[in-house]
Amino acid sequence: MNSLHKETSRKNKRQLLQLLLDLFQNNPETEYGLNDLFKIFKLKTHPLKLLCTDILDDLVADDYITINTQRRYRLTTRNHVMTGIFNRKSNGRNSFLPDGEDKAILVAERNSHHALDGDRVKATLLARRRNHSREAEVIEIIERSSKTFVGTLKVMRDFAFLLTNDRTLTSDIFIPKRKLKGGKNGEKAVVRITDWPEDTKNPEGEVIDILGVAGDNNTEMHAILAEYGLPYFYPKAAEKEAEKIPEGITPEEISLREDLRDVTTFTIDPYDAKDFDDALSIKKLPNGNWEIGVHIADVTHYVKEGSLIDKEAKKRSTSVYLVDRTIPMLPERLCNYLCSLRPNEDKLTFSVIFEMDDKADIKNWHEGRTVTHSNRRFTYEEVQNILEQNGEASEEDLTHGDHPQILKRDKSEKPAGDYAEELITLNRLAKCLRKKRFSTGAISFNRPEVRFKLDDKGHPIGTYVKIAKDANKLVEEFMLLANRHVAQKIGNTPKGSKFKPFVYRIHDVPDLEKLENLKAFVTKFGYNLRTTGSKDDVTKSFNKLLADVHGKKEQAVIEDVALRSMQKARYSTENIGHYGLMFRFYTHFTSPIRRYPDDLVHRLLDRYDRGGRAVNQKQLEDLCDYCSHMELLAATAERASIKYKQIEYMGDHLGEIFDGKVSSITEFGLYVEVDENFCEGMVPIHSLSDDYYEFDERNYCLRGRRRRRTYSIGDPVTIRVVDANLERRQLDFELIE
């Protein structure tokens, strides 16, 4: 040990760490006290003992070693069996999440034993290897997940395979002929895995549903929904229950509500909307103030808790909006007729009524169940046209597209258009509300959205850009106002009052590491971002960054990276406020036809208004988590449908040349977004034949090794469309010099 002592006396932290790792790894069953370790390594000085203690603390924090109540250390090995959920990843880095823990454990493919994503399994921890993460091995599959796979059938004489592009599954699925359910070669199908014997390469499955011929629009849209476990048809039983709901409104029901049918009311929605779940009313009060009503379809009057329709709505949690269709949360009779605030019909509503002055300062407000009557159904385009022709639109609204001529009129003349005075007043009040919101630090992401023009078969024949203008923002501001005040009423509990569990829409502050990454990224473009200081300081810096990049070539990519640095908004009973909106209290109250959390909020409001007891917070939180998960799935499916239509559209333009901009850069190549239609494809790095290009991660560019030519984000380029693979959902370009 003399040589070891000499080495130890002059060792640094890295050397002592290696000695400790070797000791624990070579003696996995042995426990050591501090004094044992000091003696083994001849650590006699106080600094060396402190260094050893610090290293041990780090190893405990990393879960490499464990410390017991007698303060003795040993290698972390858990031979006992744990139960939890297996998660399969497309990159092979599978993981196991034990019950009651929030930290997943790596499971190598060789140790997964054919477990599938979402399976409930038993697993045991493997002995931890030096300088490696914890690993586990699946030893039993307790229950297969309900996950299904979507793909194309390849039917042989006596059996078939499902060919799927699901990257979490490396093998095609074998299907016995008796389990084909009539499926034919080339048809798309939904398949469930029934067995995967240890000694076979391919899992065995059965067909659950036949979607149709691959390439057909309905088939492909249903395939996208099925891929994410979302429904693509409505159960007949729920539709039949909806048909039994009476259509009329009884005098008794009206007598229980605030009657607002004589107040000017209208809806403002997209031109193709049928489910009008919100309306606005406006009335001048004798004191000169305005009474503004935000009226929301009273869905929970018709959909009783625990009913068949309610169970189906809870399961779906949200309507899903694909490129060419809406998959509703509620049966059509409810969402498009009984609950929809259609013009010239009396409707049952849940309303928030505000009294405000000309500066949109709130003087009084209340909420409650009402009966209303919409005088007019407006589209956003109609409202925008009225605002523009009367000279009331914002300057930025007039920078895109065609616009009506501003009408010249005397001050005594009324503005032109149906309910123009009311719309102009609402627009002015909305702008006041918006200005106040941004003065308190709300973050503004107003990104253009691409929409497709489709033929009668759902095939894309053109694109257009949707930009939020004053008409959209007008509605948005009053919906935000209602959501905020409803949440505030329940959440702002007076001293001495009992806490009442409620559904909040929360948005956490950005993760510091992501903010630092964003700062490093924007620095390359010459911008700065503050990541320390108060929340207000960081937010002001964030908004300044968005203002500074506006109109620059790098605007789109910086906004995209900035958006990804933000946390995802979600539902929770634990109110932490909404960072993006800078609201201390916020919820979703205004869209009960298409969002189940809004129905929960309506029921909770009614319950607490009636003096009802507090609901079970744990059960409500579980429901909030589920709704957040379903919202994310729906958004992912929507993006997949947009990508599919982009590829389908560009498939009609193979060989054609377009101008575009570099939108992203990876080690595999350049992503380019086409200027005229916003479709994005990849230029593979191997297709850049004029040089050998390497990805410069630090400067976020591709650089040629010989000529030093660089490609950076935002660079204008010209591309040719080379391939549009719908099956793989991949669009390939090549650069034109």
Side-chain angles (χ1 to χ4, degrees):
M1 294 291 288
N2 287 336
S3 61
L4 177 63
H5 170 62
K6 289 178 182 178
E7 180 188 354
T8 305
S9 64
R10 60 176 180 268
K11 71 177 61 66
N12 59 25
K13 183 174 182 179
R14 182 176 59 80
Q15 293 169 326
L16 181 55
L17 169 63
Q18 192 58 55
L19 289 170
L20 286 165
L21 291 174
D22 289 343
L23 178 71
F24 286 115
Q25 189 69 42
N26 295 328
N27 303 277
E29 303 299 324
T30 308
E31 293 183 348
Y32 300 95
L34 271 176
N35 289 330
D36 298 329
L37 296 172
F38 295 160
K39 288 177 182 177
I40 290 171
F41 296 119
K42 300 288 184 180
L43 304 178
K44 296 182 178 180
T45 67
H46 186 62
L48 281 175
K49 289 180 179 180
L50 277 179
L51 179 62
C52 181
T53 305
D54 287 342
I55 293 172
L56 291 169
D57 288 343
D58 289 342
L59 292 175
V60 170
D62 289 340
D63 202 27
Y64 186 84
I65 60 175
T66 55
I67 181 171
N68 61 22
T69 53
Q70 285 78 43
R71 296 199 61 77
R72 298 183 67 79
Y73 301 91
R74 62 168 288 174
L75 187 72
T76 299
T77 54
R78 297 180 191 168
N79 294 321
H80 70 279
V81 174
M82 297 174 289
T83 303
I85 301 297
F86 178 84
N87 292 298
R88 181 172 284 279
K89 299 292 179 64
S90 57
N91 60 7
R93 292 186 63 81
N94 310 320
S95 63
F96 166 72
L97 184 63
D99 292 341
E101 295 192 21
D102 56 6
K103 198 172 183 180
I105 305 167
L106 179 69
V107 181
E109 184 61 37
R110 65 182 178 277
N111 296 320
S112 66
H113 299 289
H114 292 169
L116 298 170
D117 189 50
D119 283 356
R120 187 161 188 76
V121 302
K122 287 182 180 178
T124 185
L125 273 180
L126 301 174
R128 189 161 185 173
R129 292 182 295 159
R130 184 175 59 200
N131 299 327
H132 284 72
S133 301
R134 280 196 305 167
E135 288 195 39
E137 180 178 8
V138 174
I139 59 172
E140 182 186 343
I141 297 168
I142 302 171
E143 182 182 1
R144 286 289 188 191
S145 73
S146 58
K147 178 177 172 64
T148 55
F149 296 86
V150 179
T152 305
L153 291 173
K154 185 176 182 180
V155 181
M156 317 293 190
R157 181 177 175 181
D158 299 315
F159 58 86
F161 283 98
L162 183 82
L163 312 181
T164 176
N165 287 317
D166 192 311
R167 294 180 182 177
T168 66
L169 200 62
T170 55
S171 306
D172 299 326
I173 302 172
F174 173 80
I175 305 169
K177 196 156 191 178
R178 69 182 185 278
K179 295 185 178 180
L180 257 177
K181 206 175 181 179
K184 297 180 177 61
N185 192 54
E187 289 186 322
K188 283 216 160 178
V190 183
V191 168
R192 177 175 58 218
I193 290 176
T194 55
D195 192 22
W196 196 348
E198 190 72 29
D199 57 348
T200 63
K201 175 186 175 184
N202 300 88
E204 185 175 310
E206 62 179 359
V207 172
I208 301 301
D209 197 12
I210 303 296
L211 299 175
V213 179
D216 175 77
N217 184 63
N218 272 340
T219 299
E220 298 300 340
M221 292 301 105
H222 287 172
I224 287 171
L225 292 165
E227 184 180 333
Y228 295 103
L230 297 168
Y232 43 91
F233 62 87
Y234 213 90
K236 295 292 183 185
E239 288 184 337
K240 286 181 180 177
E241 186 171 302
E243 292 297 328
K244 297 175 185 176
I245 299 175
E247 187 171 339
I249 302 173
T250 65
E252 290 77 18
E253 183 62 39
I254 292 174
S255 69
L256 298 173
R257 296 168 175 262
E258 186 176 355
D259 192 342
L260 300 171
R261 288 176 292 177
D262 61 344
V263 181
T264 300
T265 304
F266 36 73
T267 59
I268 307 173
D269 290 278
Y271 75 93
D272 55 352
K274 295 178 181 177
D275 54 344
F276 313 135
D277 53 6
D278 59 77
L280 294 172
S281 69
I282 179 169
K283 182 170 76 173
K284 185 81 168 180
L285 296 174
N287 62 4
N289 289 338
W290 298 99
E291 180 186 274
I292 308 298
V294 180
H295 310 291
I296 309 302
D298 192 357
V299 171
T300 56
H301 171 82
Y302 297 100
V303 181
K304 302 304 180 187
E305 189 171 5
S307 67
L308 187 62
I309 296 173
D310 181 57
K311 289 177 181 176
E312 182 65 26
K314 182 191 294 185
K315 179 182 174 183
R316 293 172 177 241
S317 181
T318 178
S319 293
V320 183
Y321 296 89
L322 301 188
V323 167
D324 67 335
R325 69 195 64 200
T326 298
I327 297 83
M329 184 182 76
L330 297 172
E332 185 180 3
R333 176 172 163 77
L334 282 169
C335 61
N336 290 352
Y337 296 97
L338 290 185
C339 296
S340 183
L341 307 184
R342 305 196 303 172
N344 305 313
E345 294 180 9
D346 291 350
K347 291 292 179 178
L348 300 180
T349 42
F350 210 141
S351 303
V352 186
I353 315 295
F354 298 96
E355 180 187 342
M356 60 178 68
D357 61 20
D358 286 329
K359 295 180 181 178
D361 291 327
I362 310 299
K363 302 303 179 183
N364 289 295
W365 76 278
H366 68 278
E367 51 79 19
R369 283 190 149 94
T370 56
V371 56
T372 53
H373 184 100
S374 174
N375 303 99
R376 172 76 147 80
R377 184 258 161 135
F378 283 103
T379 66
Y380 284 120
E381 292 77 11
E382 287 173 330
V383 172
Q384 187 66 30
N385 190 71
I386 289 171
L387 295 176
E388 289 185 10
Q389 70 180 0
N390 287 290
E392 291 289 334
S394 299
E395 285 186 24
E396 61 183 315
D397 287 0
L398 305 175
T399 58
H400 326 274
D402 300 323
H403 306 278
Q405 186 175 358
I406 297 177
L407 301 175
K408 294 181 179 179
R409 56 184 174 86
D410 296 330
K411 290 184 179 180
S412 59
E413 289 184 89
K414 288 187 176 182
D418 287 353
Y419 300 101
E421 287 182 293
E422 290 85 350
L423 290 170
I424 288 169
T425 301
L426 286 171
N427 188 46
R428 289 174 178 173
L429 292 171
K431 286 182 177 180
C432 291
L433 291 169
R434 188 173 176 81
K435 184 177 180 181
K436 290 175 189 175
R437 189 158 59 84
F438 285 115
S439 70
T440 60
I443 295 171
S444 174
F445 282 105
N446 187 19
R447 306 189 68 192
E449 298 177 30
V450 183
R451 293 289 185 265
F452 290 91
K453 298 173 185 174
L454 307 174
D455 64 17
D456 56 1
K457 293 183 179 179
H459 187 80
I461 55 175
T463 64
Y464 63 95
V465 178
K466 177 188 171 187
I467 300 172
K469 297 184 178 181
D470 279 353
N472 307 79
K473 296 172 185 176
L474 181 161
V475 175
E476 178 190 34
E477 284 306 322
F478 286 108
M479 297 306 122
L480 291 175
L481 191 69
N483 287 333
R484 179 185 186 182
H485 279 75
V486 164
Q488 187 174 300
K489 175 179 179 178
I490 304 300
N492 198 5
T493 309
K495 284 187 178 180
S497 298
K498 191 175 180 181
F499 166 77
K500 297 174 183 175
F502 195 61
V503 176
Y504 297 97
R505 180 69 169 176
I506 63 171
H507 186 215
D508 208 348
V509 297
D511 178 76
L512 182 58
E513 184 179 353
K514 288 184 177 180
L515 270 184
E516 290 291 350
N517 291 338
L518 174 61
K519 179 180 180 178
F521 179 74
V522 301
T523 299
K524 298 167 189 173
F525 295 90
Y527 300 102
N528 191 29
L529 176 68
R530 184 168 181 174
T531 59
T532 57
S534 70
K535 186 162 69 173
D536 286 348
D537 291 336
V538 174
T539 306
K540 285 176 182 177
S541 179
F542 202 99
N543 277 330
K544 184 179 186 302
L545 170 67
L546 296 178
D548 289 345
V549 302
H550 187 73
K552 306 291 196 324
K553 70 174 187 175
E554 60 271 12
Q555 177 182 350
V557 68
I558 287 182
E559 285 184 343
D560 187 53
V561 175
L563 195 57
R564 280 188 267 136
S565 74
M566 305 284 281
Q567 303 273 24
K568 291 237 180 339
R570 59 189 176 89
Y571 300 105
S572 178
T573 60
E574 298 286 347
N575 180 45
I576 60 170
H578 196 293
Y579 174 75
L581 295 171
M582 275 295 164
F583 288 165
R584 187 180 166 201
F585 299 99
Y586 190 64
T587 189
H588 273 171
F589 164 84
T590 54
S591 295
I593 289 177
R594 61 184 180 90
R595 293 188 305 224
Y596 195 73
D598 301 57
D599 294 307
L600 291 174
V601 167
H602 284 210
R603 286 180 181 143
L604 290 169
L605 271 176
D606 185 64
R607 181 190 187 104
Y608 296 150
D609 282 347
R610 294 171 182 268
R613 294 175 60 186
V615 297
N616 183 291
Q617 185 174 1
K618 173 65 169 61
Q619 292 176 359
L620 188 60
E621 183 64 29
D622 289 345
L623 195 46
C624 285
D625 288 342
Y626 176 76
C627 290
S628 299
H629 170 69
M630 293 303 292
E631 177 190 31
L632 187 60
L633 276 185
T636 307
E638 180 183 357
R639 286 194 297 272
S641 78
I642 292 170
K643 184 65 177 177
Y644 186 90
K645 290 300 175 187
Q646 285 184 345
I647 297 167
E648 192 176 12
Y649 177 72
M650 294 303 278
D652 293 338
H653 299 276
L654 291 178
E656 295 183 23
I657 295 173
F658 296 89
D659 290 327
K661 291 184 179 63
V662 177
S663 56
S664 184
I665 297 176
T666 73
E667 57 189 308
F668 307 109
L670 308 169
Y671 281 97
V672 175
E673 186 179 78
V674 176
D675 291 340
E676 73 176 61
N677 54 43
F678 288 79
C679 293
E680 187 181 60
M682 172 176 259
V683 178
I685 195 168
H686 62 75
S687 72
L688 301 174
S689 56
D690 65 314
D691 201 344
Y692 181 82
Y693 285 88
E694 296 174 313
F695 178 47
D696 183 343
E697 189 174 4
R698 184 170 184 177
N699 295 299
Y700 217 69
C701 66
L702 286 186
R703 180 175 284 108
R705 185 180 286 180
R706 295 192 308 273
R707 301 181 185 177
R708 311 304 293 170
R709 178 175 179 175
T710 61
Y711 290 102
S712 302
I713 285 174
D715 284 352
V717 292
T718 302
I719 58 93
R720 179 185 286 114
V721 184
V722 175
D723 189 29
N725 191 311
L726 284 169
E727 197 64 36
R728 295 202 309 269
R729 294 182 198 163
Q730 189 171 310
L731 189 58
D732 288 336
F733 298 154
E734 68 177 3
L735 286 185
I736 303 297
E737 292 299 331

